[in-house]
Amino acid sequence: MRVIKSWRTMQREALQWRREAVRIGFVPTMGYLHDGHMSLVRRARKLVGSAGKVVVSIYVNPTQFGPTEDLARYPRDLARDNKLCRAEGVDLVFLPNDQEMYPGKSEGRFSTFVVEENLSQGMEGAARPTHFRGVTTVVAKLFNIVQADVAVFGQKDFQQAAVVRQMVSDLNFPTRIVVAPTTREADGLALSSRNKYLSPAERQQAVALWQTIQLARKTVSRTSVPAVNLKRTLAQFLATFPLANPDYVEIFDPATLQPVRVARRGDHLALAVRFGKTRLIDNGRL
Ligand code: PAF
């Protein structure tokens, strides 16, 4: 497995692969890898086959963090990440630093950003106003550098996947976007690098997100329900977890991400809940 830190070397390698008609599967990550990421890697391998190349990028992208968010303390363990990637048969890890990705940014010499203006507005976009601008910018840059045929994103970041798909369509990127299912702990908690922040008591109660999705599913399984009523029921349920501090619970059309007035099967639910300083998100089809 190769590790490349320079964007130019990475791009040169990728362009050479393309000339040789080698398919490139790409999994962009911020590191601190877990089995959820590894399931994306396995999906990428399936998509490009044994003759293809699987590239994982590891980069904690500062532009997608707000000024009061957890950029500085975001967990990092490069040695472990490399080991996991090697064990999973990753061909190449792209490991740039800030100077590679945003040269001259602190002196104002980096000034081009990619902004999606519709799907990025609600939920995570409303709670984290500059987040998606950072995501679309770094993903566009990574796509230009890695030249992937296919990129695999996790369904846990449902809105992110929708925003990236829209960007790819609007800006004519040749990369196909595949969204792979969320990997969960036995009790339903979605795997996330941020789970590491949870105290034992918070970890126990973090199952609230999954149980909220399950409750919503059960509620609409036989009948449609006004969304305000369902949201009230879910808020009451979340209130039974004293350490859970909900940021939002939204029920929406999965194609448009617009909130629905009446919740029914096939709609989508997404929620963000804080446990102390840790903010977790999850989502599921109803
Ligand atoms: O989902 C993530 O880990 C990040 O948002 C991504 C896509 C790697 C961009 O920094």
Side-chain angles (χ1 to χ4, degrees), residues 11-29:
Q11 193 185 59
R12 208 175 289 136
E13 183 70 38
L15 288 168
Q16 182 58 30
W17 284 337
R18 289 195 79 95
R19 276 192 289 276
E20 293 164 1
V22 172
R23 286 176 58 72
I24 304 171
F26 178 40
V27 180
T29 81

Side-chain angles (χ1 to χ4, degrees), residues 28-30 59 61 64 135 138-139 153 157 160:
T29 81
M30 297 207 299
Y59 178 58
N61 172 39
Q64 70 189 74
V135 170
V138 82
V139 171
F153 288 80
D157 297 290
Q160 167 172 279

Side-chain angles (χ1 to χ4, degrees), residues 216-282:
R217 277 188 180 147
K218 204 166 142 208
T219 311
V220 302
S221 65
R222 287 170 195 281
T223 176
S224 53
V225 186
V228 281
N229 295 0
L230 177 55
K231 283 194 226 179
R232 194 179 314 120
T233 305
L234 300 179
Q236 283 164 355
F237 177 68
L238 277 166
T240 65
F241 295 86
L243 301 179
N245 194 357
D247 209 346
Y248 64 81
V249 177
E250 198 53 83
I251 301 152
F252 55 94
D253 177 327
T256 62
L257 269 53
Q258 286 303 304
V260 294
R261 285 158 58 108
V262 176
R264 45 174 65 90
R265 279 174 74 163
D267 289 338
H268 211 90
L269 180 142
L271 73 171
V273 180
R274 287 180 198 277
F275 294 87
K277 283 188 181 162
T278 308
R279 185 172 178 279
L280 302 181
I281 59 172
D282 203 350

Side-chain angles (χ1 to χ4, degrees), residues 59-73:
Y59 178 58
V60 183
N61 172 39
T63 63
Q64 70 189 74
F65 288 79
T68 60
E69 293 180 9
D70 57 347
L71 172 63
R73 69 178 192 126

